[in-house]
Each structure stands twice: as C-alpha cells, then as structure tokens.
C-alpha cells in the first residue's frame, strides 16, 4: 500500500500576478475579449448572526407529524433533477402572491462550486452589519428546513409548515392554470420569497438551484450577481463546455447590476464579461479588483489577508479549511462591499473589526466538517471533480493524516471516475457504498470504477452506509490509536447528510 503524496495546491499568494498574466495573455490573443475588457466598467476603490447548525427533527411529535406531511406533499412534485427550463410557473406564483421577491434587495449567487459556503459568508457579513437577512440555499444536508434561513439560522419546523400552508392555495391555483404543476424546487422558492417578505428581511441572499437563466430563483432583480467558479457539472442540461455553462449562469446578471466574479476559465469569463457589457453591468473580478493576498493554515481554520474593493483586510480568521474557502471568502467580501456601494458610491473599506467578527462566526456543515475524533471523521459534500480536487488539496493541507480512508457514495448522474481520480492520491483505501436516494449509484457499479482507479487491493464494498462507516473506521484504526488515521466521507450531499445523522450530529 503506497503512502499518499503531498496534495497541496499552488501558492495562493501568487494568485493576483498569475491571473493578471493569464488575462493579459488571453486579451492579446483574442481581439473579442480585448473589446470586452475595454468596454466593461470595473470596480476599483473610488454583531454577526449565530452559527447555524443543521436542525434535527422536531422534538414535538405534532410538529414533526406536520412537517412530515408537508415533506410528503412536496415529494409528490417533480424532483430537482426533472426540469422544464422556464420561469413561467414561478413567475405566475409570484404574481398571485403579490410579487414578494420585490419587497427587498437581493444578492444572487450562481456558479458550479462554493455557492452555499459563499452564501453563508455573505449572510454572516450582512448580519454583522445589523441587517436582517434571509438566505435560500440548496440542496439541504439533513432537513429541508435548512434551505430557508432568517437571521442566520434555519427557520423552525413550525414556521416552515406555516409558510407552506400560507402559499399552498396559491400554488394550487397556479398548478391548475399551467401545463405542468410547480416542481418541488419551485414551491420551495416561492416559500422562501414569501417568508422573506413576511419577516421582513433587509436583504435576501439567494443561491440558484441550477444554471441561472431559467432557474426558479431568477425572478428577482438582484443588484449584486455573484458567480463562483464555473466547471463542468450538469452538462446534460447546462452544456458541455465552461463557456456554454457560463451562458446559462450569466442569466442572473441584471441591467446595471454589479457582477462579482470568482476566477473563471478564460472562455467562461469571456461569456460573462460580454453579458455584463450588454447589460451595462459593473464588474469586479477576483485576481484583479479583489482577491486573496495571503493565507496561512491556523488551528481550526485559516488566517487570511484579503484585498477588497475598498482596500486590504488583514488578520481575518475563517474557521473553514482549504484554499477554495479563502477564495469564497474574498468573493463574499467583495459582494457585500458592492452591496454597500464600496468602490462606487464610497471609497472607504468596511469596518475591519466587524468583518473579522463576521468571518470568525461562519459555519458550513458538510464542508470538511469534523464530526468525530479518534479516529477523526471528516465530512465533505464534494460531488463533482472540481469539488473533489478542492477537498483533496484542502484535507492534505489542513490535516496531518498518516492514513486516510475514503467513504464514497455518489449519484449515478455524476462524473464518478474523475471524482475518484481526484481522491486517489490522498486515500490509502476507499470503501464504496450508496446512500438511500433513488439517484444513488449502485455500490457494485461504483466499485467497478473504483477498482480501475485504485486497484483491487485498495477497494472495499459495503452496500449500506452504516457498514461502510464501520469498515472505514476500523481501517483507520489499524495503525493504532495514536497513529493519525482518519476517514473522509464524500461523494454526495445526501451521503454526507446520512453519515452526519449516523454519527450523532442532528
């Protein structure tokens, strides 16, 4: 059994210089991109919410029963993988509800990876500046109530049920008038927008479900559009290249909005910038207008120096692991600066102490989350190759495991081979399994691919997740109590959520 090689990524301190060189080189090569660069306006410098954990089932039997009834009704609708690309139904629902999504300003987040963590950071920052926030994210780790948050915490089961009961008559009206009933995601989106208006919130932080143009969330006119890194995922629906996917995600950009762009593949950046020019949107780009200047591994997370639209923010502690989370933090900071007009209406940065306090409060369940010690068990919801590469690099940097065992349960519609290849250098052995979702890849089918990637002697098959966790913990303990073995559970948000429950969280 070979030991894993070091998996640390490139030095993020070189981010600005390298990205600037990349843009400069591509601009020289591509005249169209040069026109876009010249024509786009860019942004240059001209008490936080409680940490939210994943809610458990309601303790009150009657509330739990009511929530289960709502969950059962929602489950009769199209799931999130069955789509009819249109916003007609959600627009009709918003109309009969009185356009609740227009009663507050919004920050809209799209991209391939990092959306939920970035949304949580934005929420924490806004809350620290005494704004009442609503956050809508997906998918959920354990409870559907996680998707709708107020003031930094998921709505209670009681409020979730009440919100559903309030919108249900209007949902039924739209169902009767449309060719297709509202989907599961469309109903939840309507519930979120209604709950935010009812609260009321000062600002909504909204994560798309998929894509952007025809995503159900895209009935808001967000003044700030955030685009996290774009990579290949959902290629059957969004397109087979980063540029094609960017074309769908660019749909969240509204006229005269501010676009906060994470580092992107050049072809994706070209599409996004062209869209911004067409809509007279202002652009802030990671690596040029803002970004990560420095980051150091620290106990329980990392210490960062960020360059925002208004200047530098030093000694910012983030209790999350990995370079990707530092980049998410830079994007979140720029988005909140843009929301407050930093770089446009005002030149001074945000209050540094408030920013520090906000980032120190951030939690992101299921993102390199430690749920057990001796041996250490870490959960990460990476479900595509880009997410897996980020997780593999981060776990090599943040944890000193002498022997890391993987537990992987993936969905059948994902690029499983490349996901496994990303983890191969860091896993001593892998236990393949499957979660309870109907989308889960069969454990034996997953094992066949894993054997090709890892070799037969490094793969173990446990069809049920409890058995897989037990097997992985046993393998991690083989070197002894103090040998530094660990377990990483990954491959799907559902796998992570079920493991979280089995290990006593929530």
């Amino acid at each position: 059994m070979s030991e894993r090689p070091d998996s640390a990524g490139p030095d993020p301190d070189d981010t600005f210089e390298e990205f600037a060189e990349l843009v400069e080189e591509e601009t020289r090569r591509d005249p169209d991109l040069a026109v876009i660069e010249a024509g786009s306006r860019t942004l240059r410098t001209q008490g936080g919410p409680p940490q939210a954990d994943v809610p458990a089932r309601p303790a009150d039997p009657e509330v739990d029963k009511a929530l289960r009834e709502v969950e059962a009704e929602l489950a009769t609708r199209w799931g999130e993988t069955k789509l009819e690309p249109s916003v007609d139904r959600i627009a009709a629902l918003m109309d009969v509800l009185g356009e609740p999504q227009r009663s507050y300003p919004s920050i809209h987040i799209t991209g391939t990876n990092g959306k939920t963590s970035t949304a949580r950071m934005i929420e924490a920052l806004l809350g620290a500046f005494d704004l009442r926030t609503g956050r809508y994210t997906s998918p959920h780790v354990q409870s559907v109530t996680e998707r709708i948050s107020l003031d930094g915490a998921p709505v209670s089961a009681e409020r979730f049920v009440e919100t559903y009961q309030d919108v249900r008559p209007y949902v039924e009206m739209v169902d009767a008038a449309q060719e297709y009933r509202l989907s599961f995601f469309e109903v939840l989106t309507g519930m979120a927008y209604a709950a935010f208006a009812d609260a009321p919130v000062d600002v909504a932080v909204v994560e798309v479900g998929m894509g952007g143009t025809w995503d159900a969330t895209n009935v808001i006119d967000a003044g700030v559009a955030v685009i996290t890194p774009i990579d290949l995922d959902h290629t059957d629906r969004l397109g087979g290249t980063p540029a094609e996917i960017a074309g769908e995600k660019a749909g969240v950009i509204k006229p005269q909005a501010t676009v906060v762009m994470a580092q992107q593949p050049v072809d994706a950046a070209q599409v996004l910038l062209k869209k911004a020019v067409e809509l007279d949107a202002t652009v802030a780009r990671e690596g040029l207008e803002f970004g990560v200047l420095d980051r150091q591994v620290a106990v329980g997370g990392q210490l960062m120096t960020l360059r925002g639209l208004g200047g530098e923010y030093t000694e910012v502690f983030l209790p999350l692991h990995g370079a990707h989370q530092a980049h998410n933090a830079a994007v979140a900071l720029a988005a909140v600066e843009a929301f407050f007009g930093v770089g446009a209406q005002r030149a001074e940065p945000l209050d540094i102490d408030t920013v520090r306090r906000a980032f120190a409060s951030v939690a992101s369940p299921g993102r390199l989350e430690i749920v057990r010690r001796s041996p250490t068990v870490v959960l990460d919801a990476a479900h595509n190759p880009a997410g897996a590469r980020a997780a593999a690099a981060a776990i090599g940097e943040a944890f000193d495991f002498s022997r890391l065992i993987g537990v992987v349960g993936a969905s059948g519609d994902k690029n499983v081979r490349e996901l496994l290849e990303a983890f191969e250098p860091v896993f001593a052995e892998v236990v393949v399994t499957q979660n309870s979702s109907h989308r889960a890849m069969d454990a034996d089918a997953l094992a066949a691919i894993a054997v090709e990637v890892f070799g037969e002697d490094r793969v173990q098959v446990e069809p049920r997740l409890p058995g897989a966790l037990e097997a992985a913990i046993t393998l991690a303990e083989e070197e002894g109590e103090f040998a530094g073995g660990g377990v990483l559970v990954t491959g799907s948000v559902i796998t992570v959520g079920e493991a979280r429950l089995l290990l006593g969280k929530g």
Side-chain angles (χ1 to χ4, degrees), residues 233-253:
D233 199 9
H234 302 295
T235 53
D236 56 328
R237 297 178 177 89
L238 301 180
T241 67
E244 291 175 345
I245 294 172
E248 288 295 332
K249 295 184 183 293
V252 304
I253 302 173

Side-chain angles (χ1 to χ4, degrees), residues 78-84 210 234 236-237 413 438-439:
W78 278 1
E80 290 168 283
T81 59
K82 187 172 183 180
L83 305 168
E84 193 275 317
M210 185 186 300
H234 302 295
D236 56 328
R237 297 178 177 89
D413 59 348
H438 68 280
R439 295 172 55 204

Side-chain angles (χ1 to χ4, degrees), residues 285-305:
R285 299 157 294 179
E286 184 185 7
L288 296 175
E289 283 76 46
F290 70 92
V292 181
L293 289 178
D294 183 58
R295 55 180 291 272
Q296 301 174 26
V297 176
V299 176
Q302 53 192 308
L303 193 65
M304 309 175 299
T305 296

